[in-house]
Amino acid sequence: MCPSIKEATAALDQQTINLIVSDFDLGPGQSCLDFLEAVHSRLPTAQRILISGESMSPDALPSQVAFMEKPASHRAFALLAQIRSSQFEY
């Protein structure tokens, strides 16, 4: 778990990462959509999930980013990651 985009970006090079979960609201000056696109360019096979307390249009999401509305359980994240990995070819 990383408290900022800067730390999360640094972690991409230090660990094997298969799943990225990002809240939509990352605070001032930080864009979760830009971050998730950067993750995809560096780790194209990593699953990406955006969570938010507000609903979003699927058209507003980058390609191959799953959306989950809060609150969500740990089980929901695990199931979504399983489903996503079987739906898309990279």
Side-chain angles (χ1 to χ4, degrees):
M1 190 165 198
C2 299
S4 71
I5 288 178
K6 183 178 179 179
E7 289 174 310
T9 302
L12 297 177
D13 297 327
Q14 298 170 3
Q15 304 173 40
T16 300
I17 297 175
N18 299 314
L19 175 65
I20 299 287
V21 178
S22 178
D23 197 321
F24 183 79
D25 183 7
L26 299 178
Q30 301 186 90
S31 168
C32 71
L33 298 177
D34 290 343
F35 171 65
L36 291 174
E37 285 293 332
V39 167
H40 181 63
S41 68
R42 292 172 77 173
L43 301 170
T45 61
Q47 299 294 311
R48 295 166 297 147
I49 301 173
L50 173 63
I51 61 172
S52 177
E54 304 290 328
S55 61
M56 290 187 72
S57 164
D59 296 336
L61 298 173
S63 66
Q64 300 176 346
V65 171
F67 176 75
M68 186 177 295
E69 196 166 339
K70 292 190 276 185
S73 68
H74 292 286
R75 178 171 160 70
F77 284 115
L79 290 172
L80 184 55
Q82 276 185 320
I83 292 167
R84 296 283 299 165
S85 66
S86 66
Q87 285 182 340
F88 294 100
E89 290 183 37
Y90 293 93

